[in-house]
Amino acid sequence: MSATMLQVAEGLLALPGAKHLPHTYKDPISNLPTLPEAQVSDISIPIIDLEALHGPRRSDIVKQLGQACQHRGFFAVKNHGIPRTTVSNIFDTTREFFHLPKEERMKFYTPDPNSDIRLMNAYKDEVANVFVARESLKFHCHPVADYVSKWPTNPPSFRKYAAEYLTNVRRVEITLLGAISESLGLERDYIEKKLGGHYASLNYYGACEQSDLELTYGVRAHTDPTIITILLQDDVPGLQVLSEGKWMDVNPIPGTVVVHVGDLLQAISNHKFKSLLHQAMVNCEKERMSIASYCYPSSDAMIGPPKKLIDNDHPAVYKDFTFGEFSEQMWKVITFTDTRLDSFKCSTA
């Protein structure tokens, strides 16, 4: 399998159908603005107050959240209730893990995309002639009790601190999915009822040399094949999103997490919400870390738009399909973007 295929396999960790070998590969990178050509500038980031969802302003916050999903594809969440010490601890243990000797980290390397835990190394993509600098440890994490015994014991704090953080993130996820459902005019538990697994990615980006910049990425441009992705950033910039054909910096905001709309929420919303195209760049002075939590449905969950969102003015963009069928299709035609959904579009869309 080529380096490019390894990167694809990384993105599909733990999804049903991962055991099947891919047949067709489509790389959209050549069709996107590259970093030297794109205009990189700061944009205002929609900020959602999670605490306010539990009070009298809930309807206003739900509306704000829906507008952020529709017009931006992402938003930051403040007052999420994850303790500062929990955030500090997960970054500390992540740093310790990636500072371990390589032979210790490599105990978790496997080419098997079905593995419950998997280390992915930085690599050179010979096809696109770029270096992808991220190292990541990806693993199943829900329910925590079912998987914690498979997580690293070195550093000794890993299991405790990862479990604390990911338990808190699951709570945030459920709260957000309820508000997202309401923003679409659906029952609060509509999306929650579809939930299946959950996995996490601890990401480490070492500082790069200035001469490497033109061909070094942290992570290349992609959308996530999830419902939503919750991203915790440290204080080092690196996340960028594509907005109106331009790459925009999403610089860290202390005390917040960033939430991305994924491909599956795009389908559930009947394309009202757009899956976020994003990438990560490396920093030449500092190492960078992020913790991504991926939310996806059970294999038999129906993902097509609900009838409530379909009428004469809003015809169905997508057919009904299960998450298992989506996962299977991802291994037939592999792509980094929401074109994963093309085979499930209605003929009239």
Side-chain angles (χ1 to χ4, degrees):
M1 184 181 291
S2 68
T4 299
M5 284 301 187
L6 284 176
Q7 174 70 357
V8 173
E10 174 189 4
L12 301 185
L13 172 68
L15 300 190
K19 62 182 179 294
H20 298 285
L21 293 177
H23 304 294
T24 305
Y25 170 65
K26 294 184 178 180
D27 189 345
I29 300 301
S30 60
N31 297 324
L32 297 173
T34 61
L35 184 68
E37 297 170 349
Q39 176 182 338
V40 181
S41 61
D42 292 332
I43 57 174
S44 60
I45 303 173
I47 300 178
I48 303 300
D49 186 345
L50 197 70
E51 188 176 42
L53 282 173
H54 303 290
R57 296 182 56 227
R58 181 179 179 88
S59 60
D60 292 335
I61 302 300
V62 166
K63 183 178 179 179
Q64 291 175 21
L65 191 153
Q67 290 174 339
C69 289
Q70 181 175 1
H71 300 297
R72 292 291 183 81
F74 76 103
F75 51 90
V77 175
K78 68 177 183 178
N79 295 327
H80 44 63
I82 304 175
R84 291 183 181 180
T85 54
T86 299
V87 170
S88 177
N89 288 341
I90 189 62
F91 278 132
D92 286 346
T93 202
T94 297
R95 182 182 298 105
E96 287 184 55
F97 176 82
F98 286 105
H99 283 188
L100 291 172
K102 185 174 182 179
E103 59 268 21
E104 182 69 18
R105 303 196 309 274
M106 288 298 288
K107 291 178 180 179
F108 295 95
Y109 173 78
T110 172
D112 179 11
N114 284 314
S115 177
D116 288 332
I117 185 166
R118 188 180 187 203
L119 177 73
M120 297 300 300
N121 293 317
Y123 67 91
K124 172 80 175 290
D125 184 334
E126 301 290 349
V127 176
N129 193 34
V130 298
F131 183 73
V132 180
R134 178 178 69 168
E135 288 188 68
S136 61
L137 184 70
K138 303 177 87 75
F139 53 93
H140 286 267
C141 58
H142 183 78
V144 166
D146 289 354
Y147 296 105
V148 66
S149 63
K150 302 178 182 180
W151 301 351
T153 56
N154 189 10
S157 62
F158 189 99
R159 292 182 177 180
K160 177 183 178 181
Y161 291 163
E164 288 176 353
Y165 175 73
L166 294 168
T167 298
N168 274 277
V169 165
R170 186 69 171 185
R171 172 186 51 77
V172 173
E173 175 185 281
I174 297 300
T175 301
L176 286 172
L177 291 178
I180 289 171
S181 292
E182 287 185 56
S183 75
L184 291 168
L186 305 172
E187 297 79 9
R188 185 179 299 189
D189 62 353
Y190 181 86
I191 298 177
E192 181 183 349
K193 287 180 177 179
K194 299 179 181 295
L195 291 184
H198 189 119
Y199 65 93
S201 177
L202 309 188
N203 306 311
Y204 178 82
Y205 308 85
C208 72
E209 297 294 332
Q210 184 72 32
S211 60
D212 291 337
L213 269 181
E214 288 190 358
L215 56 84
T216 300
Y217 287 82
V219 180
R220 294 188 299 170
H222 65 286
T223 63
D224 291 340
T226 60
I227 300 176
I228 59 173
T229 299
I230 299 177
L231 183 71
L232 176 67
Q233 301 188 84
D234 66 8
D235 59 355
V236 179
L239 175 64
Q240 296 179 341
V241 302
L242 192 70
S243 177
E244 298 179 350
K246 300 175 183 178
W247 287 112
M248 304 293 185
D249 289 325
V250 182
N251 291 328
I253 301 175
T256 69
V257 294
V258 175
V259 180
H260 302 171
V261 172
D263 298 342
L264 299 175
L265 182 54
Q266 177 175 309
I268 292 171
S269 70
N270 202 32
H271 214 290
K272 181 177 181 180
F273 299 161
K274 185 71 172 65
S275 188
L276 181 70
L277 190 64
H278 57 286
Q279 66 183 13
M281 305 308 296
V282 291
N283 188 285
C284 288
E285 298 178 356
K286 298 179 180 179
E287 65 183 7
R288 177 177 179 265
M289 293 176 293
S290 67
I291 317 295
S293 303
Y294 305 101
C295 166
Y296 60 90
S298 59
S299 295
D300 60 354
M302 197 62 67
I303 305 301
K307 293 181 180 179
K308 194 171 184 179
L309 300 185
I310 301 170
D311 55 34
N312 290 335
D313 295 325
H314 305 90
V317 176
Y318 301 102
K319 301 176 288 187
D320 287 341
F321 60 94
T322 66
F323 180 56
E325 292 170 335
F326 173 79
S327 302
E328 188 77 21
Q329 179 62 25
M330 287 175 65
W331 283 100
K332 292 179 180 178
V333 180
I334 292 179
T335 173
F336 288 106
T337 71
D338 64 338
T339 54
R340 303 177 184 106
L341 293 169
D342 285 355
S343 62
F344 301 106
K345 283 186 174 180
C346 296
S347 58
T348 56

